[in-house]
Amino acid sequence: LAKTTQPISMDSYEGQEVNITCSHNNIATNDYITWYQQFPSQGPRFIIQGYKTKVTNEVASLFIPADRKSSTLSLPRVSLSDTAVYYCLVGANNTDKLIFGTGTRLQVFP
Amino acid sequence: KAGVTQTPRYLIKTRGQQVTLSCSPISGHRSVSWYQQTPGQGLQFLFEYFSETQRNKGNFPGRFSGRQFSNSRSEMNVSTLELGDSALYLCASSLTSGGATDTQYFGPGTRLTVL
């Protein structure tokens, strides 16, 4: 399983766009990139998943460059409720177990 | 559709005791995974069950065990509790696998405190 590296913490203000980058230099050909969000004392929640280029849903966008050695989660116009820990995970098909790293603690200020 | 439910939500035990935690997955989901979360170690994978068979296992001692029933409900058991077992235990269900590409739906967790 590819190891991931994310910033430990980030600060932002309401209304701003937040970009969290994850490094995964050893990503394998079959690996997908998935992001989860976790609020205190709750289980993680799936945000977005992608393989290459760009993926967008109603919550976020995921940008993956051609070499796939990194990925960027983009949260448009964050609000206070986006304050959480964000985890980047890399793995393939249905046999790789989920390995959560330390995550990025995002703090949004008013 | 109801989400993943875990019981009990909170539990206090003493060292040496054993504990059983329960998880009911989302209806139709066949895979159930268990995780331990502590401030020091973060989220760590315990094991995954699919169709009543353990399909994947993390690096935890044999005191940690689990099982899955025919209705996909799962239980995990921790015997001979140690202080370090105090943690939030999370259960996640998914449609077909506990793997990296299948969306995991997590329950609210069981907060276990060992005194």
Side-chain angles (χ1 to χ4, degrees):
Chain A
L1 291 173
K3 178 178 163 57
T4 60
T5 303
Q6 307 173 230
I8 292 176
S9 65
M10 293 181 70
D11 292 336
S12 182
Y13 291 94
E14 280 192 295
Q16 289 189 330
E17 178 184 73
V18 171
N19 295 310
I20 305 174
T21 297
C22 178
S23 172
H24 28 79
N25 291 319
N26 296 323
I27 191 168
T29 304
N30 294 333
D31 285 344
Y32 279 72
I33 300 151
T34 310
W35 287 79
Y36 281 80
Q37 173 194 56
Q38 185 179 26
F39 299 111
S41 296
Q42 293 186 28
R45 184 180 71 155
F46 172 89
I47 301 176
I48 198 166
Q49 183 180 83
Y51 182 79
K52 62 180 179 180
T53 63
K54 177 184 174 183
V55 180
T56 297
N57 62 22
E58 65 279 3
V59 176
S61 294
L62 179 59
F63 298 91
I64 306 169
D67 66 5
R68 304 201 326 123
K69 293 184 184 299
S70 67
S71 58
T72 299
L73 173 72
S74 181
L75 305 172
R77 299 178 299 282
V78 294
S79 65
L80 296 176
S81 63
D82 292 317
T83 293
V85 178
Y86 292 82
Y87 295 96
C88 164
L89 295 92
V90 172
N93 56 55
N94 60 358
T95 55
D96 285 343
K97 56 194 179 191
L98 284 179
I99 305 294
F100 287 84
T102 54
T104 297
R105 187 172 301 276
L106 172 66
Q107 178 70 53
V108 179
F109 295 97
Chain B
K1 191 184 268 192
V4 177
T5 58
Q6 293 186 244
T7 56
R9 292 294 312 280
Y10 302 92
L11 206 49
I12 299 176
K13 292 285 188 179
T14 56
R15 279 183 300 174
Q17 287 187 309
Q18 77 164 20
V19 66
T20 299
L21 311 182
S22 180
C23 171
S24 292
I26 291 172
S27 177
H29 285 194
R30 299 172 64 189
S31 168
V32 173
S33 299
W34 288 89
Y35 297 83
Q36 180 197 66
Q37 186 168 33
T38 60
Q41 299 296 320
L43 260 167
Q44 292 187 286
F45 173 82
L46 278 156
F47 28 66
E48 185 237 341
Y49 286 87
F50 182 84
S51 292
E52 302 178 66
T53 301
Q54 187 180 89
R55 194 160 60 173
N56 232 327
K57 191 177 189 307
N59 297 322
F60 278 81
R63 300 186 297 108
F64 292 82
S65 63
R67 59 178 175 168
Q68 186 180 34
F69 302 96
S70 58
N71 62 358
S72 293
R73 190 177 70 85
S74 177
E75 288 181 348
M76 69 161 280
N77 184 77
V78 188
S79 62
T80 320
L81 284 166
E82 300 176 359
L83 294 178
D85 296 333
S86 294
L88 180 67
Y89 289 88
L90 291 160
C91 161
S93 78
S94 62
L95 205 52
T96 58
S97 85
T101 56
D102 201 9
T103 300
Q104 304 296 308
Y105 295 86
F106 284 81
T110 294
R111 172 76 60 188
L112 172 65
T113 301
V114 182
L115 302 176

